[in-house]
């Protein structure tokens, strides 16, 4: 390895170590109860409460690991169904000026699985296979949502380790909103 490669690795390592502690503190505040109380982000509190009303959850009620896991699984399955349906039905949906047909079943399933798991493996030519609606409302949304689900689960795992208990891990909907 060249000297430039070694120095680049060292610079990245130093930057990651230096940013680890402040980023950890910020994430602890975001996933804690104090983040939206006062400060520059307090205006988000009303939007957050509107989201909780929309999904009909009590933000103060924590979930055990079984309930948290079940909510994650059901949420992911619903989003999988919606994304798969958008791809298969895109020929009949709006925002399809090129009149693209529905994505074949095997390709839609593969794409859905990859975007739900945030691996985003693409085995197609985007503009020749996916309509604007499929790319915007399906794939682009899922890029954010799947990452948010992963961050929410990570927050629950960290809470479980910190509390040394799997009794309550937080609320999935709170963690999802704050991840987004």
């Amino acid at each position: 390895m060249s000297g430039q490669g070694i120095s680049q690795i060292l610079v990245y390592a130093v930057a990651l170590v230096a940013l680890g502690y402040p980023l950890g503190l910020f994430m602890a505040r975001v996933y804690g109860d104090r983040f939206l109380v006062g400060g520059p982000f307090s205006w988000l509190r009303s939007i957050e409460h509107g989201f909780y009303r929309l999904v009909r959850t009590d933000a103060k009620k924590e979930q055990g690991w079984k309930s948290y896991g079940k909510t994650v699984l059901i949420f992911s399955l619903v989003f999988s169904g919606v994304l798969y349906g958008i791809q298969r039905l895109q020929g009949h949906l709006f925002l399809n000026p090129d009149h693209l047909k529905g994505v074949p079943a095997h390709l839609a399933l593969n794409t859905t699985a990859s975007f739900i798991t945030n691996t985003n493996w693409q085995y197609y030519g985007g503009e020749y296979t996916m309509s604007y609606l499929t790319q915007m409302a399906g794939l682009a949304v899922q890029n954010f949502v799947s990452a948010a689900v992963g961050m929410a689960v990570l927050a629950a795992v960290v809470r479980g380790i910190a509390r040394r208990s799997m009794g309550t891990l937080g609320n999935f909907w709170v963690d999802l909103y704050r991840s987004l």
Side-chain angles (χ1 to χ4, degrees):
M1 184 180 289
S2 69
Q4 181 182 5
I6 293 171
S7 63
Q8 191 173 17
I9 290 171
L10 289 174
V11 167
Y12 285 139
V14 168
L16 289 173
V17 169
L19 293 174
Y21 187 72
L23 181 60
L25 289 176
F26 177 74
M27 289 180 71
R29 283 201 332 245
V30 166
Y31 291 107
D33 293 332
R34 302 180 313 260
F35 183 64
L36 296 178
V37 177
F41 299 107
S42 60
W43 61 274
L44 289 172
R45 198 166 213 21
S46 61
I47 298 170
E48 183 178 26
H49 289 302
F51 174 75
Y52 299 149
R53 279 194 301 274
L54 180 69
V55 297
R56 297 180 183 183
T57 189
D58 180 9
K60 292 180 178 38
K61 184 180 177 193
E62 292 201 357
Q63 297 173 297
W65 72 269
K66 289 180 183 178
S67 176
Y68 201 101
K70 184 172 121 181
T71 307
V72 170
L73 186 61
I74 291 171
F75 180 81
S76 296
L77 287 173
V78 167
F79 264 75
S80 296
V82 169
L83 181 56
Y84 182 81
I86 288 173
Q87 291 178 79
R88 294 289 288 149
L89 297 172
Q90 80 176 358
H92 306 289
L93 299 174
F94 56 96
L95 290 179
N96 188 3
D98 297 328
H99 306 290
L100 298 172
K101 295 179 182 172
V103 178
H106 69 284
L107 187 58
L109 185 61
N110 182 9
T111 304
T112 298
S114 74
F115 275 82
I116 291 294
T117 59
N118 203 21
T119 53
N120 300 352
W121 187 63
Q122 300 175 16
Y123 185 69
Y124 55 87
E127 60 275 0
Y128 300 111
T129 309
M130 305 287 180
S131 69
Y132 295 148
L133 178 72
T134 302
Q135 291 183 50
M136 290 186 309
L139 304 180
V141 167
Q142 198 54 45
N143 276 328
F144 290 95
V145 172
S146 64
V149 168
M151 290 175 65
V153 170
L154 176 64
V157 168
V158 169
R159 266 190 221 107
I161 292 170
R163 295 175 182 174
R164 294 191 171 117
S165 166
M166 296 300 281
T168 57
L169 299 177
N171 188 311
F172 170 73
W173 298 107
V174 173
D175 293 342
L176 179 73
Y177 176 83
R178 292 185 181 177
S179 295
L180 286 170

